[in-house]
Amino acid sequence: MIAALGHLLRLARAGWVLAREGVFADLDPGLAPPEARAPLAIAKMLARRGAADDEGRLPRAIARLGPSYVKLGQFLATRADVVGPTVVTQLGALQDRMAPFPRDIAIQTVEKAFGRPLAEVFVHFGEPVAAASVAQVHRARVRDPDGAERDVAVKVLRPGVERRFARDLSDMYFAARLAEKYVPEAARLKPVGIVDGLARSVKIEMDFRLEAAAASEFAENVAADHDFHVPAVDWDRTAREVLTLEWVDGTPLSDGAALRARGLDLATLGRTVMQSFLRHAVRDGLFHADMHQGNLLVDADGKLTAVDFGIMGRLGVKERRFLAEILYGFIRRDYRRVAEVHFEAGYVPPVH
């Protein structure tokens, strides 16, 4: 009973934040399930003045709720089938919505992870250059045994983020189970399954040794590819809470103006993105599963460079064949064959 009350209070706070930012302003209570009409009408009344006209209200409200909800928003940004294309576009703004935590706290995390002073690990450790829901990145410098120095990117886990995620995921499970039980229209979207997917993703992302292993394997797979690069892992400076990678100076794919200023052909870059993904998925069976424009750079040599390997995907030989057949069917416009492969793969139940 006490646990349920805690869930309800925290969810009510989340609802208040979303309502004040006008997230529900465009929803018609008359089109909502009967159980949701009264709460939705109240939520619309709580919206602050002018909130409904603010296109950034959804990502801003989610950012206020903390890293767990930002991660949920980023996860739902891949599910247009659940939230719709308009909301997906708005959720795309969550990629860079988290404020960084102080450098001093990052230093404490590094020193605790390696059991020695920062100066014995890094020659220089700068201020954060990027911040996300689970971690933030610092530019640092290391000295190799031969005396040579090089720049590295150091990813440091947010303090207290595991405890916060555990609590918020528990709240999300509570809300998802209630929705499946009492709102038939919501049950078809499988909200518990959505939270399951988020929980699996977060569990892997919390241990940077797993990310380092994935990045290392990924780099081996693409070593001979002339147009794709994966930064090397510095295993001597990697632990559960700290990941150190080769520093890459590059232009983000999100900065179209800068790419054009470099004289890069955007259509060619687009083909490289698609062909690289298909090579990784079909040829290697290991692919970057969070390949949005914020995680892709073009380095000084013009190579497409991926960063952030917290979410990777694997395909077995059978799944790769199904994917290849589906793509081939689309290319040939043989849509019946595309549908047949979905049945053969078991992606669609045979009752349909």
Side-chain angles (χ1 to χ4, degrees), residues 3-4 44 55 57 82 86 92 104 109 124 135 185 189 196 201 208 224 249 291-292 311 316 322-323 335 337 340 352:
K44 289 166 71 72
E55 292 184 359
R57 62 186 184 271
V82 173
T86 302
D104 290 346
T109 301
H124 170 74
E185 290 84 353
L189 298 175
D196 281 337
S201 169
F208 291 158
D249 282 312
M291 214 167 164
H292 60 71
I311 308 176
F322 288 139
L323 174 59
Y335 304 121
R337 181 56 189 152
E340 289 171 350
H352 294 294

Side-chain angles (χ1 to χ4, degrees), residues 9 14 17 77 85 99 174 184 191 221-222 262 265 280 284 291 309 333:
L9 288 173
V17 170
F174 179 80
N221 289 345
V222 304
R262 286 182 55 183
D265 183 88
H280 306 155
D284 306 326
M291 214 167 164
F309 309 96
R333 300 187 181 185

Side-chain angles (χ1 to χ4, degrees), residues 263-278:
L264 297 169
D265 183 88
L266 301 192
T268 299
L269 274 177
R271 283 194 294 273
T272 300
V273 171
M274 291 186 289
Q275 290 169 357
S276 296
F277 174 79
L278 291 173

Side-chain angles (χ1 to χ4, degrees), residues 85-155:
T86 302
V87 174
V88 162
T89 301
Q90 295 175 17
L91 292 176
L94 286 171
Q95 291 167 8
D96 304 306
R97 279 278 171 170
M98 294 303 298
F101 55 89
R103 174 178 176 272
D104 290 346
I105 294 178
I107 290 174
Q108 292 173 17
T109 301
V110 171
E111 292 182 335
K112 182 180 178 182
F114 297 109
R116 48 198 171 122
L118 181 78
E120 294 183 12
V121 185
F122 300 104
V123 175
H124 170 74
F125 190 83
E127 294 291 338
V129 295
S133 55
V134 172
Q136 69 185 28
V137 176
H138 297 254
R139 185 169 185 168
R141 186 170 299 121
V142 300
R143 182 178 292 114
D144 291 328
D146 62 1
E149 293 187 3
R150 54 188 170 85
D151 287 345
V152 292
V154 184
K155 188 174 181 179

